[in-house]
Amino acid sequence: MGGNKARRLMEKGKAKDDYAAQQEVAASLRLMVEQNAFAVEDMNRRHEERAKQI
């Protein structure tokens, strides 16, 4: 196999790895956003309950 072909194959593999890493980061960010939304919702609910008590 020629050097150029081997280099192209390596670059393709690296591109796939980069894509997989990007997908993993995106999934983590989506999860963080979701968890943050739950936390904000919970804070708002607690705030409303305190406001009713006053």
Side-chain angles (χ1 to χ4, degrees):
M1 182 171 3
N4 285 340
K5 187 172 184 180
R7 187 178 301 125
R8 275 199 310 273
L9 288 173
M10 276 181 30
E11 286 172 357
K12 278 185 182 178
K14 185 178 183 307
K16 284 181 187 173
D17 289 348
D18 288 348
Y19 180 76
Q22 287 174 355
Q23 294 306 306
E24 201 171 313
V25 169
S28 295
L29 287 174
R30 279 193 292 273
L31 183 61
M32 284 172 51
V33 166
E34 206 172 287
Q35 289 173 339
N36 195 27
F38 282 128
V40 168
E41 203 174 292
D42 192 40
M43 281 187 349
N44 286 340
R45 190 169 52 248
R46 288 182 188 175
H47 181 72
E48 287 174 10
E49 287 175 9
R50 277 195 223 113
K52 286 178 186 175
Q53 289 175 354
I54 298 173

